[in-house]
Amino acid sequence: MLASENTALRDLFLAEVILVACVVVGWLVGRILLRFDPTRLEHGAAAAPEEDEGGWLFSDSLAIVGGAFGIIIGLQLVFAAQHFVDAKDNARDEAATSVALFQAVGPLATEHRDAVRRDLVCYMRSVAGDDWSAVSAGYLTGAPSTVAWSMALHDEFQAADTATGGSLALMYSAADQISSLDQERQQRLLYGIPEIPLAIWVVVYVGTTVTIALMVLRLQRHRRAAVINVVATTILLGAVVGSLSVLDVPYAGLGATLKPVAMNTALLQLETAAPGPLWDPCPQLPPIVDEPVAETPAASTATS
């Protein structure tokens, strides 16, 4: 988890540095544009209204740009939060499906029931351990050990089905649960991929630069008020950018981070309900693949 935490911290730091750079650029652009006196450009030798002395010319532009920028930021926060919530719900569904499968194979003959449950327990442990660490590190294939236990679970269930000739309803229910496990694992791996595209981050940073520049122009004769407004805006945007960076990568290991709480809770509940040799330490299976083969794209700006 340390590597993923370092990566997440690096990405968050970079996102905030870029934001501050955009604020500085916006301030400088605003000050440079003040060299072209808007009062003279608009009114010739006539004086502008005393209260603003030219700044009033930018009120409409600041209102339009600021309003549009605020809507974009708000929508992105909603989408990022929904991405995080969806990943959390999927983790809970995965744990619930594991419990349902454990219970669904109960009517099988003892030998086959225990064999399937044993592989399921080891699979759940692998999900909460190796697989969670893999998705936190950004690997699309997950952990090789989890893939191996998934294959073992499939093989054991097929063997039990063939040997026992169990009832159609029982076998169908258990097979459906195993299929759901596969789907939920794949979804969990995909939820680790950042969803905010580069184009959105460009809009955020360009919008920051333009908004700050217009703010400086609007308050051109009120330097202290301009500084206060720019600092307050920068703090707010810093919190927004930080939230987007964290929420967009739910397993990254920084801030709002998903942990395998649901799966660990499910394991504890099942062990309490059905103690025995099922819960002995799991052996190390030969991996189906040697190592994770694909890494997720870089997060955002670089972010049960």
Side-chain angles (χ1 to χ4, degrees), residues 12 16 76-77 80-81 84 196 201 236-249 256 303:
L12 177 59
E16 299 292 359
Q76 287 308 310
L77 273 177
F84 183 89
I196 299 178
W201 288 106
L236 176 60
L237 290 176
V240 169
V241 167
S243 298
L244 290 175
S245 300
V246 171
L247 293 174
D248 199 35
V249 188
T303 234

Side-chain angles (χ1 to χ4, degrees), residues 10-24 205 241:
R10 180 201 64 197
D11 292 344
L12 177 59
F13 177 75
L14 182 57
E16 299 292 359
V17 167
I18 295 175
L19 176 70
V20 172
C22 289
V23 171
V24 173
Y205 292 130
V241 167

Side-chain angles (χ1 to χ4, degrees), residues 20 53 67 101-102 156 159 166 172 258 278:
V20 172
E53 298 189 7
L101 176 58
F102 190 94
E156 193 62 53
Y172 179 81
L258 293 180
L278 292 177

Side-chain angles (χ1 to χ4, degrees), residues 47-87:
E50 294 182 359
E51 64 272 15
D52 286 319
E53 298 189 7
W56 62 277
L57 296 172
F58 302 97
S59 297
D60 291 343
S61 296
L62 181 59
I64 294 172
V65 172
F69 187 47
I71 292 174
I72 293 173
I73 290 293
L75 289 175
Q76 287 308 310
L77 273 177
V78 171
F79 294 151
Q82 187 60 52
H83 177 60
F84 183 89
V85 171
D86 289 344

Side-chain angles (χ1 to χ4, degrees), residues 118-144:
R118 171 64 173 168
D119 287 346
L120 174 61
V121 166
C122 292
Y123 172 81
M124 294 171 67
R125 287 174 172 172
S126 182
V127 166
D130 295 341
D131 214 37
W132 210 273
S133 297
V135 73
S136 297
Y139 291 108
L140 289 174
T141 55

Side-chain angles (χ1 to χ4, degrees), residues 194-212:
E195 288 196 342
I196 299 178
L198 178 60
I200 295 299
W201 288 106
V202 171
V203 170
V204 170
Y205 292 130
V206 171
T208 297
T209 303
V210 174
T211 300
I212 296 300

Side-chain angles (χ1 to χ4, degrees), residues 104-195:
V105 298
L108 290 176
T110 302
E111 176 185 358
H112 298 289
R113 178 197 64 200
D114 290 346
V116 173
R117 283 182 169 179
R118 171 64 173 168
D119 287 346
L120 174 61
V121 166
C122 292
Y123 172 81
M124 294 171 67
R125 287 174 172 172
S126 182
V127 166
D130 295 341
D131 214 37
W132 210 273
S133 297
V135 73
S136 297
Y139 291 108
L140 289 174
T141 55
S145 61
T146 307
V147 177
W149 279 114
S150 177
M151 296 300 297
L153 177 60
H154 279 270
D155 293 342
E156 193 62 53
F157 177 73
Q158 291 174 0
D161 187 16
T162 302
T164 63
S167 69
L168 182 61
L170 168 63
M171 291 299 126
Y172 179 81
S173 175
D176 184 61
Q177 299 297 340
I178 292 178
S179 177
S180 295
L181 269 185
D182 292 338
Q183 294 175 8
E184 287 156 359
R185 177 176 183 267
Q186 184 61 30
Q187 288 175 345
R188 172 166 48 81
L189 295 176
L190 294 177
Y191 277 128
I193 302 176
E195 288 196 342

